[in-house]
Amino acid sequence: MTTTTEPTYGYADLPRLMGLMTGDEKHGPAATSTLDALWVLYDRVLHVTPERADDPARDRFLLSKGHGPMAYYAVLAAKGFLPVEWLEGFGAYDSPLGHHPDRVLVPGAEIGSGSLGHGLPIAVGTALGLKAQGLTEPRVWVLVGDAEMDEGSNHEAVAYAGPAALEQLHALVIDNASASYARPGGIAARFEAAGWSTETVDGRDHDALYAAFTAPHPGRPRVVVARVEPKEFSGEPKSK
């Protein structure tokens, strides 16, 4: 996997980096809803760097919410995984930065994503694979959209991971009120019923996100539901 020696940037630089990406089909709200949670993960939680992008002992981050990946690309660029100059070509025919991330083209991307409902099951398989190899330290994180939880494959993954006690598995659900179906007790209740450790926090509060991301959960997978402003406030039609 290609890495770069690009200088790193801070959180305050992210709006400018995202602003370099122009064109149609940006899915702006889908991207900005994930920005703070992504930054806290890459800046303070994940044990992965451009130099360790192929290290078997690295943490794995899987972006299941693969549409609107501008925030993801901006964070990867800020952390030196890819050149900032790539951002200006976002979505172009010859750009590696497509409207959905491609793991073959994007340094640091663990999976190709965009087809909703795949990321959480892949994360379950990744956690099982690490366990089978005796790699018990790396953590697996997967970012899922709240509307994506409508997909049945995600419910099967949730139902399996809890009883399997996949402690290395962490799910981050971005809740921007896009889901078509209400869930009694909220999103976290579905995970809790399957034996997961759960917490719901303000998705813009970096300290709250960090505390939730790093809370101990022995013997159980962990889910953090990050609530952000409802998507309809953007004026765009609701979608996953």
Side-chain angles (χ1 to χ4, degrees):
M1 184 179 293
T2 303
T3 61
T4 79
T5 56
E6 282 286 302
T8 57
Y9 298 78
Y11 174 76
D13 296 301
L14 295 181
R16 180 178 65 83
L17 295 178
M18 289 183 67
L20 297 174
M21 291 174 274
T22 60
D24 296 331
E25 297 297 325
K26 292 199 303 180
H27 288 284
T32 56
S33 66
T34 68
L35 185 62
D36 294 272
L38 280 171
W39 178 255
V40 173
L41 277 175
Y42 273 90
D43 191 53
R44 302 171 63 182
V45 177
L46 293 175
H47 294 159
V48 62
T49 63
E51 296 74 24
R52 295 186 60 204
D54 292 319
D55 186 346
R58 73 190 183 280
D59 287 345
R60 274 75 165 170
F61 173 78
L62 284 58
L63 181 69
S64 187
K65 184 182 170 75
H67 59 294
M70 292 190 302
Y72 183 47
Y73 293 156
V75 170
L76 288 178
K79 289 300 180 181
F81 287 89
L82 54 89
V84 168
E85 289 76 17
W86 285 14
L87 301 178
E88 297 180 19
F90 168 72
Y93 176 76
D94 58 350
S95 173
L97 305 183
H99 296 299
H100 296 161
D102 185 329
R103 64 175 292 273
V104 177
L105 300 178
V106 180
E110 296 282 356
I111 60 172
S113 57
S115 297
L116 299 176
H118 290 180
L120 186 52
I122 293 173
V124 169
T126 301
L128 286 170
L130 290 171
K131 186 175 181 180
Q133 296 175 74
L135 296 171
T136 58
E137 293 300 320
R139 295 162 296 175
V140 180
W141 281 88
V142 56
L143 189 154
V144 183
D146 64 321
E148 190 179 356
M149 289 304 300
D150 292 343
E151 304 289 343
S153 54
N154 281 328
H155 291 274
E156 293 182 12
V158 171
Y160 176 86
L166 295 182
E167 185 177 338
Q168 289 170 264
L169 177 62
H170 304 75
L172 166 61
V173 182
I174 302 296
D175 182 4
N176 65 352
S178 292
S180 300
Y181 307 106
R183 294 179 179 83
I187 295 171
R190 172 67 185 88
F191 287 83
E192 188 172 4
W196 289 57
S197 167
T198 70
E199 189 167 349
T200 300
V201 299
D202 180 348
R204 301 301 187 193
D205 185 328
H206 290 198
D207 289 338
L209 287 166
Y210 176 75
F213 291 163
T214 57
H217 50 96
R220 294 195 291 170
R222 172 77 167 168
V223 64
V224 176
V225 179
R227 288 179 172 167
V228 297
E229 58 279 0
K231 185 176 180 181
E232 60 261 29
F233 287 178
S234 69
E236 293 191 10
K238 292 173 71 173
S239 68
K240 295 176 183 176

